[in-house]
Amino acid sequence: MNTSDTPTDIVRNFMSALDDNNLDTAANYLADDFQFSGWTPMPLDKNGFLGMFKDIKEGIPGLLFNLHNVLEQSENRVTGTMQIKGYQTDSFIIPILGTPPIPQTANSVSLPTEDVTYQLNDSGIVAMVVQHTSGGGITGLLRQLGIDLPIVQ
């Protein structure tokens, strides 16, 4: 992370690293006490978040977040909108969510747009909060792959 980066730069660079499946770079933008919430049934810490997307990208390697409408609300708060899209090419499992193996379905996913808020401090992004949208989140992603698991949003 470059010390001259604005909060908007940090968020955009972080999301670009996720899009590119460069999780080591993405991790550098996250504070050690990072929390991810709203997209999964329970909040995830830094390792849980990175592990979940590593697992998902094993089956959907071209998964993109398509972050847009990025606005710097204050020096420590950035908002945006994301629309996750991708094409499943392989089976995968998400151990942190307790899923069984998700078989390869060769389905495309295109989730509804979801608003997201990032909280930052001197050590990086400390929170990423996704405003749940009907048909979105991990449940929406799995349903579009034809998997109906009892993951409560």
Side-chain angles (χ1 to χ4, degrees):
M1 195 165 48
N2 189 331
T3 55
S4 65
D5 284 346
T6 67
T8 300
D9 293 336
I10 292 168
V11 166
R12 285 185 187 279
N13 292 339
F14 164 68
M15 295 303 291
S16 289
L18 286 179
D19 280 347
D20 294 341
N21 204 18
N22 191 338
L23 298 180
D24 289 337
T25 298
N28 291 332
Y29 289 100
L30 300 178
D32 289 339
D33 59 348
F34 171 80
Q35 288 286 302
F36 175 71
S37 61
W39 202 78
T40 53
M42 73 283 202
L44 299 176
D45 64 11
K46 179 179 180 175
N47 290 330
F49 170 83
L50 293 169
M52 179 184 68
F53 279 106
K54 175 187 173 289
D55 296 336
I56 292 171
K57 285 208 170 228
E58 285 181 12
I60 311 172
L63 185 84
L64 296 175
F65 292 87
N66 298 301
L67 183 68
H68 54 283
N69 298 334
V70 179
L71 298 171
E72 192 169 318
Q73 303 295 334
S74 68
E75 66 183 38
N76 63 354
R77 185 169 169 260
V78 174
T79 60
T81 304
M82 66 181 185
Q83 184 182 21
I84 295 176
K85 293 182 178 187
Y87 178 79
Q88 186 187 18
T89 60
D90 207 347
S91 61
F92 63 99
I93 187 170
I94 311 170
I96 195 155
L97 299 180
T99 69
I102 311 297
Q104 196 275 349
T105 62
N107 286 345
S108 292
V109 294
S110 180
L111 299 182
T113 58
E114 295 173 292
D115 292 330
V116 59
T117 301
Y118 303 85
Q119 295 290 334
L120 296 90
N121 68 17
D122 291 341
S123 60
I125 301 170
V126 294
M128 180 178 173
V129 180
V130 180
Q131 179 69 40
H132 179 67
T133 300
S134 180
I138 188 66
T139 302
L141 180 110
L142 294 175
R143 281 197 180 130
Q144 288 191 16
L145 295 175
I147 308 298
D148 193 13
L149 291 177
I151 296 177
V152 178
Q153 211 50 46

